[in-house]
Each structure stands twice: as C-alpha cells, then as structure tokens.
C-alpha cells in the first residue's frame, strides 16, 4: 500500500511538473546532466535505464495519443538508428550491453524527445496570448545564427556544408505552416542541446558532429511522429484502436494507404529524406 501511495504522489506531482515550462525544463536539464555524469564515472547503464524508464512511464500516463506516439516511435526509431550508427562508425559510446549502445538510450531517446516537443507545446499554450510572445520569433533568428556560427567554428559544419544544408532545408519543407515550423525548430533545438551535452562531456562521440545535421534529423523524426499520430487519431475514430504496439504498425501502413493528408512539397521532402537516411544507414553515403 505504501508503494502505491508513493507512486500516486509522484504521479500527481508529475502532472504539475509537465505543465510548468520552467520547472519542467530545469528538471529535465538536471536529470540528463546527472545521468550523463553518472554514466561517465561508473559505466553503469542499468541505473540510468531504470530512472529514464520511470520517467517514460510517467510521461506516458500524462500523455494522449500524440504524446504516446512520440514516446514509442522516438524510442524505437532512435535506438535502431543508434545501433546502425555504431555499426557503421557514425557514433561511438563508452560501451553498451547491446551492440555497443547503452540500454538507457532506449527509454532516454523517447523521454528526451518527448520533453523537447512537450516543453514548447506547453510554453506556447500558456503564453501565446502574451504581448511579448512575438519575441520568440526573434529568438529563432538569433539562436539560428548562433547555431551556424558555433557549428562552423567549433563543430563540423565545414566538413560537408552542401549536404547538411540540403538536408536541413528538406526537413523544414515537411511542415506547411508557420506554427508547425516554429514547433519543429524548437523541438530540434532543445534536443540538439542534449546532444551537445553528451558530446562535450564525452558520453558519446561523432566523427562529424554537425549541429545543423543533427537538428535536421530530429526535425525529420518529429514529422514521422506527428504523421503517425495523425493516422492513429483517424484510425481511433474509425476502428476504436487502443495504444498497443500493433496499432503503431498499422499507423505506419496508414501513411501510404491514404489515411494521411499529403502535400506535394511534403511528399517530395519525405521521399528525398527517406532515401538519404536509408542510404546513409546502409553505409553507402555519409549522414
């Protein structure tokens, strides 16, 4: 009984946390940095996996279809991507129980990506009516300039600027209105900050660590999650599906059988990015 009471207490507190942008941001920041520092010192991947899995479950219980889709798809796609990336030498970790990838990456990918997406969603929902909200557009411009300068000066933008620029443009072509473009930018921006922390602290390393290239990849993942959530919403209304894994597989098929509304620009960008990443993960081109 005491364990149940404690869990209910944590769950109630988590509802307050995930709906308060500043507290939520600080909580995730200290959690991620703490896990990275702990992992570097101990090489223990099981304790971080337990912590991130608990967060994953809490976030799941505080999410509807869209949020749950982010947790499932980001975790699965992210972990498979990391396994293939390590195999072809795109990433290097300190170690890992499965394919040299730490098991905490599995819940961590979904948790961090959900956090980045949800942080901006909460922020915009709470403050979009404020007089100062339009200054977020200025932040986008300023932070983007700083990202380019940092990538050019300290990271690897100079190694492959043409392919990186093309990939970045294609990723933003997936979104058809300014609100979604802003969501895509902030989700990618916040997630890349986590990548920077892991790279600079030494948890993992990339031979070509380009901020813009990473951001393009996360924006593409955002589009995949949003598209699958769109199909799941449509299928739920028609078939009353629940949130089991099989329904996510059905939703993947729904992307190509007419259950998602496509624009020509979206089709073009999605096809080129899928081709690009498929060839990259097969080791035929650089990602």
């Amino acid at each position: 009984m005491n364990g149940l009471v404690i869990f209910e207490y944590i769950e109630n507190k988590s509802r307050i946390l995930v709906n308060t942008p500043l507290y939520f941001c600080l909580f995730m920041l200290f959690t991620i940095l703490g896990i990275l520092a702990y992992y570097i010192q101990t090489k223990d991947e099981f304790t971080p996996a337990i912590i991130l899995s608990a967060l994953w479950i809490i976030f799941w219980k505080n999410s509807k279809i869209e949020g749950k889709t982010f947790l499932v798809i980001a975790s699965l796609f992210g972990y498979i991507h990391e396994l293939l990336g390590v195999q072809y030498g795109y990433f290097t970790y300190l170690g890992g129980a499965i394919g040299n990838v730490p098991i905490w990456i599995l819940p961590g990918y979904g948790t961090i990506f959900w956090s980045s997406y949800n942080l901006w969603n909460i922020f915009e929902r709470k403050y979009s009516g404020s007089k100062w909200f339009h200054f977020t557009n200025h932040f986008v411009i300023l932070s983007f300039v700083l990202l380019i300068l940092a990538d050019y000066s300290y990271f690897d933008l100079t190694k492959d600027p043409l392919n990186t620029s093309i990939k970045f443009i294609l990723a933003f072509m997936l979104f058809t209105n300014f609100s979604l473009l802003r969501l895509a930018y902030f989700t990618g921006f916040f997630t890349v900050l986590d990548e920077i922390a892991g790279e600079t602290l030494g948890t993992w390393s990339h031979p070509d660590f380009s901020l813009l290239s990473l951001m393009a990849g996360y924006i593409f993942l955002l589009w995949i999650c949003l598209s699958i959530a769109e199909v799941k919403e449509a299928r739920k209304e028609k078939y009353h599906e629940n949130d089991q894994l099989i329904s996510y597989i059905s939703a993947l098929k729904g992307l190509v059988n007419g259950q998602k509304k496509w624009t020509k620009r979206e089709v073009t960008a999605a096809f080129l990015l899928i081709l690009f990443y498929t060839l990259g993960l097969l080791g035929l081109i650089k990602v």
Side-chain angles (χ1 to χ4, degrees):
M1 179 62 70
N2 289 337
L4 180 61
V5 171
I6 292 172
F7 185 81
E8 288 178 349
Y9 175 80
I10 294 173
E11 186 179 353
N12 289 333
K13 290 296 183 182
S14 70
R15 289 196 183 98
I16 299 172
L17 175 68
V18 299
N19 285 287
T20 310
L22 178 59
Y23 293 155
F24 183 62
C25 182
L26 291 174
F27 171 76
M28 286 306 302
L29 175 64
F30 285 112
T31 299
I32 293 165
L33 291 178
I35 284 174
L36 293 177
Y38 174 83
Y39 178 63
I40 291 168
Q41 293 297 319
T42 65
K43 308 298 188 296
D44 171 22
E45 39 186 298
F46 295 99
T47 302
I50 293 171
I51 294 170
L52 289 169
S53 295
L55 284 177
W56 196 99
I57 293 170
I58 289 172
F59 292 163
W60 175 275
K61 293 179 70 67
N62 284 277
S63 297
K64 296 182 180 179
I65 285 180
E66 195 168 79
K68 291 179 177 180
T69 301
F70 269 71
L71 289 166
V72 171
I73 298 301
S75 292
L76 293 177
F77 273 55
Y79 199 69
I80 293 171
H81 172 265
E82 298 297 304
L83 287 172
L84 292 172
V86 168
Q87 178 181 348
Y88 290 109
Y90 297 129
F91 323 116
T92 303
Y93 286 91
L94 294 176
I98 303 174
N100 290 322
V101 178
I103 59 173
W104 57 266
I105 296 294
L106 180 59
Y109 225 106
T111 301
I112 291 171
F113 199 63
W114 181 94
S115 301
S116 298
Y117 164 78
N118 211 46
L119 176 62
W120 179 253
N121 251 354
I122 296 168
F123 184 86
E124 184 164 12
R125 186 172 66 245
K126 280 185 170 291
Y127 302 118
S128 58
S130 302
K131 294 181 180 179
W132 52 264
F133 186 77
H134 68 279
F135 286 112
T136 57
N137 298 328
H138 301 291
F139 176 83
V140 169
I141 297 171
L142 177 61
S143 61
F144 182 56
V145 171
L146 292 176
L147 273 177
I148 294 175
L149 291 175
D151 205 350
Y152 183 83
S153 302
Y154 303 106
F155 299 104
D156 295 329
L157 179 60
T158 56
K159 290 188 176 180
D160 197 7
L162 180 60
N163 280 343
T164 297
S165 300
I166 292 172
K167 184 166 58 173
F168 195 80
I169 292 169
L170 287 172
F172 277 98
M173 283 176 59
L174 293 168
F175 300 92
T176 55
N177 62 63
F178 185 74
S179 179
L180 284 174
L181 285 169
R182 188 166 53 196
L183 171 66
Y185 179 84
F186 277 104
T187 301
F189 179 81
F190 292 138
T191 312
V192 163
L193 292 183
D194 296 322
E195 285 278 358
I196 294 173
E199 172 75 13
T200 54
L201 290 175
T203 309
W204 55 75
S205 61
H206 302 243
D208 300 313
F209 187 79
S210 168
L211 302 182
L212 295 189
S213 180
L214 285 169
M215 192 168 177
Y218 287 125
I219 291 171
F220 183 42
L221 180 59
L222 171 69
W223 173 83
I224 292 173
C225 291
L226 289 174
S227 298
I228 291 175
E230 178 185 331
V231 174
K232 278 185 62 61
E233 286 282 2
R235 291 183 65 85
K236 183 179 179 181
E237 293 179 5
K238 186 174 182 180
Y239 302 111
H240 305 289
E241 288 185 337
N242 56 24
D243 288 302
Q244 294 178 353
L245 180 59
I246 190 67
S247 69
Y248 289 95
I249 297 173
S250 300
L252 279 170
K253 294 191 295 183
L255 294 178
V256 295
N257 66 8
Q259 292 179 326
K260 173 179 166 54
K261 299 176 182 178
W262 294 83
T263 65
K264 292 181 179 178
R265 185 177 73 177
E266 194 176 11
V267 170
T268 302
F271 173 77
L272 292 175
L273 283 170
I274 290 170
L275 179 63
F276 186 95
Y277 283 111
T278 300
L279 293 175
L281 290 175
L282 290 175
L284 300 177
I285 62 173
K286 291 178 63 177
V287 293

